[in-house]
Amino acid sequence: MSTQTIAQSSTWGGGNSPFKVSYGKLMMWVFLLSDAFTFSSLLTAYGAIRYSFSSTDTFIEDVTPAKLEADGIPMRDGRIDFTFADNLIEKYTPDAAAHTSHGAEAHADHTDYFVQKMGETGIFSESHWPSPDLVFNHFPGFGVIDFHGMHLPLIFVSLMTLILILSSVTMVLAVEAGQRADKDAVSKWMLWTIIGGFMFLGCQAWEWTQFIGAGSRMYSNPYGPPTFAALFFGVTGFHGFHVFSGVVLNIIIYVNNLMGTYEKRGHYEMVEKVGLYWHFVDLVWVFVFTFFYLI
Amino acid sequence: MSSHSNHNADIHDEVNYDPTVWVPHTHSHGTKDIWLKFWILLGLTVIDVAFYFVMPPSMARNIIFIALGIVKAIYIVGTFMHMKHEKLGFASMIIIPMMFIIFFIAWMLFEGNFWGTI
């Protein structure tokens, strides 16, 4: 090929793309690199501030089980028994019918009881960073299956992770369909990606509702140091807004594709570029999940 | 493999290169690899959850979580973001600066240990 010799003789001399990427895609990657620095500084600040406090885990180890039991904390095998759903149901909703309604009030009882007890014993205090185990342990109820009042750490956020990974898969399938110039398949997979994005945002909204409902604000919270809630709102809020922006971009791409914009243009690279952004949002979530919920 | 639908030859022209419209030829790498990586990512998340419930909190457990996070990141960037099919120079331009991020996070995690103790 004649074009090959020209490209080889002057790879960096201008008049071609040395990296064989379009201008738009190159710039998307450069933007994502800068955004990776932004999120890493947020997570770095979180790690540094968190590790300047002692954690509830070490605090719980230092307190004798006998003292905790005397303070009214349910114990099992020398450790705090967090599966105290039964205690809660008996204590606050003796009427079984009232419990199955699982309205906002039943849940407020759980939050008040748990958070209050933890505060009374000094496990939740401004001098200990709360273990995510003790804060994000809720799961919403669905009709007959009621998870309210149960200690289920990590389960809800694992579901959110699954939703985001799945929406990343549907996005990459849309990109793959674009590479084959299959307009209908692009539409189908973009629609699934948009649905996944809304599902994740809905979960995020529920998570925030629980957190705020327990009394957390930007400058104070019942779980631990004020910076705990400030960083939670800051980092998950910043990530959530990225997800929201991603959903808006995905909708624009979906509508453009329906109108045949990319078919006329002759390539579906816009799907790929927005896809890069969407995968980046998933990538950031991997680390938010790691640093906020797992560690 | 179906060919790219191309109504405008100029967008791929390397001789009369126009950076405002130029895009490389694309071809599909199939969906098999995508679904494989989905199952791997799901499996790694399940391993995360298993460690969370089985192993008591410790620095060793934190390192396991961070290592699994980096493995997940490699699959997301490599396969989903198509990085493993890009030119090495381009991939290096993006990936090498990211090494500083990992270093910086580790550095500040240890640094935070000393705040309020001196």
Side-chain angles (χ1 to χ4, degrees):
Chain A
M1 275 170 72
S2 60
T3 53
Q4 210 170 8
T5 48
I6 290 163
Q8 276 175 353
S9 62
S10 61
T11 308
W12 295 98
N16 66 39
S17 173
F19 287 154
K20 296 282 175 281
V21 286
S22 70
Y23 172 76
K25 191 172 146 183
L26 182 73
M27 288 302 111
M28 175 55 90
W29 267 110
V30 171
F31 163 70
L32 292 181
L33 179 61
S34 76
D35 222 16
F37 281 121
T38 307
F39 273 107
S40 66
S41 38
L42 284 167
L43 288 173
T44 304
Y46 173 80
I49 294 168
R50 175 173 170 173
Y51 278 83
S52 70
F53 288 92
S54 65
S55 77
T56 48
D57 295 328
T58 30
F59 182 73
I60 289 168
E61 281 166 21
D62 293 344
V63 177
T64 59
K67 180 171 185 310
L68 289 173
E69 204 147 18
D71 286 337
I73 299 291
M75 302 294 288
R76 183 190 287 172
D77 301 331
R79 287 185 70 86
I80 296 177
D81 177 18
F82 291 120
T83 55
F84 49 78
D86 295 341
N87 311 25
L88 289 171
I89 292 162
E90 283 166 25
K91 193 173 167 75
Y92 286 100
T93 49
D95 179 7
H99 181 67
T100 48
S101 71
H102 57 263
E105 282 176 35
H107 193 266
D109 283 338
H110 164 233
T111 309
D112 291 348
Y113 171 75
F114 179 70
V115 175
Q116 198 186 317
K117 268 275 173 266
M118 296 299 268
E120 280 169 11
T121 51
I123 294 173
F124 283 164
S125 88
E126 288 206 2
S127 50
H128 316 115
W129 199 266
S131 163
D133 209 56
L134 308 176
V135 181
F136 309 106
N137 58 357
H138 303 151
F139 200 91
F142 295 103
V144 281
I145 311 159
D146 189 1
F147 298 104
H148 278 150
M150 290 171 81
H151 175 69
L152 296 164
L154 204 71
I155 303 301
F156 187 64
V157 79
S158 300
L159 178 72
M160 286 169 74
T161 306
L162 174 68
I163 291 167
L164 210 56
I165 292 174
L166 264 175
S167 84
S168 234
V169 171
T170 56
M171 183 78 231
V172 80
L173 289 169
V175 174
E176 192 272 335
Q179 288 165 343
R180 291 183 286 107
D182 186 341
K183 187 185 157 190
D184 292 341
V186 172
S187 290
K188 178 180 80 176
W189 292 119
M190 284 308 296
L191 191 60
W192 279 115
T193 310
I194 293 163
I195 290 167
F198 275 121
M199 281 172 76
F200 182 86
L201 286 172
C203 291
Q204 189 89 287
W206 188 82
E207 183 95 329
W208 273 46
T209 308
Q210 301 311 303
F211 197 59
I212 296 167
S216 301
R217 300 292 181 269
M218 274 302 271
Y219 302 108
S220 70
N221 67 83
Y223 299 107
T227 38
F228 168 69
L231 282 161
F232 178 79
F233 285 129
V235 177
T236 64
F238 206 62
H239 175 264
F241 192 71
H242 271 71
V243 178
F244 172 75
S245 313
V247 170
V248 170
L249 290 171
N250 286 344
I251 291 169
I252 293 169
I253 297 300
Y254 176 70
V255 172
N256 274 348
N257 183 53
L258 283 185
M259 297 195 314
T261 308
Y262 307 124
E263 201 174 27
K264 278 183 223 127
R265 194 175 288 171
H267 64 87
Y268 286 71
E269 202 184 47
M270 271 317 288
V271 183
E272 189 180 342
K273 282 183 273 194
V274 172
L276 286 174
Y277 180 78
W278 190 252
H279 298 312
F280 177 76
V281 167
D282 185 26
L283 181 68
V284 169
W285 182 253
V286 164
F287 289 102
V288 172
F289 177 66
T290 303
F291 288 104
F292 266 85
Y293 296 97
L294 288 173
I295 291 178
Chain B
M1 201 173 294
S2 66
S3 71
H4 196 281
S5 101
N6 180 8
H7 304 294
N8 180 4
D10 293 335
I11 59 171
H12 301 305
D13 193 343
E14 298 207 16
V15 180
N16 300 305
Y17 174 73
D18 178 355
T20 59
V21 295
W22 185 85
V23 286
H25 285 284
T26 54
H27 64 277
S28 166
H29 293 277
T31 56
K32 206 179 156 189
D33 192 33
I34 297 166
W35 284 108
L36 174 71
K37 295 300 148 64
F38 165 71
W39 290 113
I40 290 173
L41 287 170
L42 188 65
L44 290 172
T45 307
V46 169
I47 292 168
D48 268 336
V49 175
F51 268 112
Y52 184 88
F53 286 111
V54 171
M55 197 175 169
S58 66
M59 190 46 84
R61 196 181 76 162
N62 293 351
I63 289 165
I64 291 169
F65 287 147
I66 294 167
L68 286 170
I70 292 166
V71 174
K72 281 185 254 181
I74 290 167
Y75 285 124
I76 291 170
V77 174
T79 303
F80 290 179
M81 297 172 93
H82 215 252
M83 197 51 123
K84 68 177 178 183
H85 301 295
E86 303 291 354
K87 280 196 160 292
L88 184 64
F90 178 57
S92 311
M93 185 188 99
I94 303 298
I95 302 297
I96 289 173
M98 290 207 184
M99 300 295 174
F100 288 105
I101 295 170
I102 297 159
F103 163 70
F104 193 52
I105 288 171
W107 180 24
M108 290 304 284
L109 283 177
F110 289 112
E111 176 69 21
N113 271 323
F114 296 98
W115 290 359
T117 63
I118 297 168

